[in-house]
Each structure stands twice: as C-alpha cells, then as structure tokens.
Amino acid sequence: MFKFRKPLIAANWKMHKTVTESLSFVKEFLPLAAGVRDIDIVICPPFTALLALSMVFENSPIKLGAQDVFWANQGAYTGEISPLMLQDLGCQYVIIGHSERRHIIEENDLIINRKISAAKQTNLTPIFCVGETLPEREKGLAREIVQQQLEKGLQDLTAGELVVAYEPVWAIGTGINASPADAREMTGFIREQLAILYDRTWAEGVRILYGGSVKPDNIAQFMNEPDIDGALVGGASLKAADFARIVRLNDNGS
Ligand code: 13P
C-alpha cells in the first residue's frame, strides 16, 4: 500500500480507562506496535490519563491526542481544558466536533469553529470530525450536511495542518461500518470541498480518516481507498491486541 500522505490511525478511547488501565494498555501495546514505522499512531485517552501517557510516550513514536479542548487559553471557564494545557502535556492532536459532542453535549458549528481556531493557534493539529446521521443519509442529504459542517467549522480559518475524520453517525459504535464504496465517495467529496474552500494543493495534503466500526478485519479495505488516509477507531482501540492489529493493517507481522 503506497500512500502519498502519511497514514494516521488514531484511538479514541472516549470515556474509558482509568490511569492504571491506560498504562497497562500501553505496556501491552507498545511491543505489539514496535515494527510499525510508516503510520502515525495517535492515542486519545481521557484527559485524566494524558499526563501518565505523555511520560510513557516520551521515548516512543506514539503521539498523544486529546478528545476535546476549550477555545480560550485561560480564564473563568469552570471545568474546561485549554489548548495551552494540552500542549503543556505533550499533546500534538485534538479531536474536535466528534458526533457524540455534537449530539449528546449539543455542541454546534460555531463552538466547533472556535475550538479548531484555538487549537490551530496553539499548534495542536485538529482531528475535525464530520458526518451525517441515518435519517440525513436516507433523505439523500449526506453530502449537504457534511459540506455545511466543513464550511461552518472552518469558517474564517486559514489553511494549515488539519486532519478531517469522516464518521457517519450511523456507523459509530453500531458494528455497521460504511461500505468502502460509500466511504470512498464521501472522503473524495470532502477533499473536493476542501479544495473549493481553500486550494487544491493544500487539500491534496490534508489527511482524511474514516471512522465508524473500524475493526482489525476491515481496516485494510478502508486503507485501500484513494482518499482515506487512516482511521479514527473507538471500540476496537480499547484492547491492545485489536488496536495493534489495526495499526499493522491486520498483517500478522510474520
Ligand atoms: P467505533 O469505532 O466504536 O464505532 O467509534 C468510532 C468513533 O466514534 C471514533 O471516534
């Protein structure tokens, strides 16, 4: 598999794992992933485990990401975590606009736009999530919804280091992944939109991930698609052996 853009596979642990559980995952995972050189591996644990993992990752190629961020660097924002604080912990990536935050926490495009802007200013690479719900897909609105999420999320922002994750809401945590053909169509569409919003050269360099029921047994199909540069993995990233098979693209390494 040759990829012009360096593949990136990120684990989104969501609200799973204590510090102790995070450390035991990493102890098991690091040797299993040791041979993987040509893929950026990012682990996004809960905020509470970031410090412990950042110390373990200091001498490892694994990169650290957060699952969310606030848009100001400091101030009276009870309970929030700033981009500066994440940077201080060694985070290089931050997931922004995940569908669970859009739908459960009711984050809107304006908030997401502020968060992407703040992350960029602190040199954290946003993993900007977009994707349609099942009713939206059934009504034929998938492209329109994703186009609006991109346009509003990136409004007034300059081009720069960005990762986009296409996560159709109906595929998240359901065991029903998008077909590679549907994922191909939507990731190609996302790249076209990025070229329209900015310019083609920049858009060609943006890494676009697929997320939604990615498993060891289906990762290779997604990675074969021209506009899919990696994956954002939820459930299957919680077990070290499974996530290791995913970053090895289900190659048993023999
Ligand atoms: P699952 O891999 O559990 O479907 O979750 C996907 C996801 O939401 C990653 O951000």
Side-chain angles (χ1 to χ4, degrees):
M1 177 208 60
F2 171 76
K3 289 273 181 192
F4 150 71
R5 296 167 286 267
K6 187 173 184 191
L8 185 156
I9 296 185
N12 175 10
W13 285 354
K14 309 188 178 182
M15 201 173 72
H16 292 284
K17 296 193 190 295
T18 60
V19 173
T20 311
E21 289 164 347
S22 303
L23 288 171
S24 55
F25 173 99
V26 167
K27 197 168 166 207
E28 190 185 342
F29 178 73
L30 286 179
L32 296 174
V36 179
R37 305 241 169 275
D38 43 2
I39 293 181
D40 282 335
I41 301 172
V42 181
I43 293 188
C44 306
F47 289 126
T48 45
L50 284 171
L51 177 60
L53 292 199
S54 78
M55 295 200 275
V56 182
F57 292 164
E58 234 165 26
N59 298 311
S60 112
I62 314 284
K63 298 179 166 81
L64 195 60
Q67 297 176 18
D68 185 33
V69 67
F70 192 64
W71 60 75
N73 275 333
Q74 59 180 20
Y77 304 105
T78 303
E80 295 296 336
I81 307 282
S82 83
L84 219 55
M85 293 167 181
L86 295 180
Q87 189 193 48
D88 187 41
L89 288 174
C91 285
Q92 294 180 47
Y93 293 87
V94 57
I95 298 171
I96 297 178
H98 191 277
S99 88
E100 285 145 19
R101 296 206 62 85
R102 290 180 189 264
H103 298 289
I104 302 170
I105 322 281
E106 299 188 7
E107 252 179 41
N108 61 25
D109 292 308
L110 176 63
I111 290 177
I112 290 164
N113 176 255
R114 285 185 183 151
K115 291 183 172 186
I116 297 175
S117 173
K120 280 162 61 69
Q121 281 170 36
T122 319
N123 288 327
L124 288 168
T125 301
I127 301 178
F128 171 30
C129 301
V130 297
E132 81 287 355
T133 62
L134 189 58
E136 288 163 349
R137 171 156 285 260
E138 285 171 347
K139 285 188 208 127
L141 295 174
R143 284 174 167 236
E144 198 176 311
I145 294 294
V146 167
Q147 193 272 337
Q148 283 175 19
Q149 289 171 339
L150 288 169
E151 195 175 302
K152 292 180 181 166
L154 297 174
Q155 191 166 354
D156 298 328
L157 302 184
T158 53
E161 185 68 16
L162 179 74
V163 175
V164 176
Y166 170 60
E167 296 207 307
V169 180
W170 45 273
I172 296 177
T174 58
I176 303 166
N177 55 279
S179 68
D182 282 344
R184 176 195 317 148
E185 198 241 339
M186 290 302 289
T187 50
F189 174 74
I190 288 169
R191 201 175 301 286
E192 277 308 305
Q193 294 307 305
L194 295 176
I196 293 167
L197 289 172
Y198 294 91
D199 67 81
R200 181 154 303 278
T201 313
W202 174 78
E204 287 299 329
V206 173
R207 291 183 287 184
I208 302 178
L209 316 181
Y210 167 75
S213 299
V214 170
K215 303 272 181 290
D217 294 339
N218 62 24
I219 182 70
Q221 306 172 44
F222 290 111
M223 295 303 283
N224 279 335
E225 295 299 339
D227 282 304
I228 299 181
D229 306 305
L232 185 54
V233 188
S237 73
L238 293 172
K239 285 204 181 121
D242 287 348
F243 192 53
R245 277 177 68 204
I246 290 175
V247 299
R248 303 183 78 101
L249 308 184
N250 201 24
D251 172 7
N252 63 20
S254 57

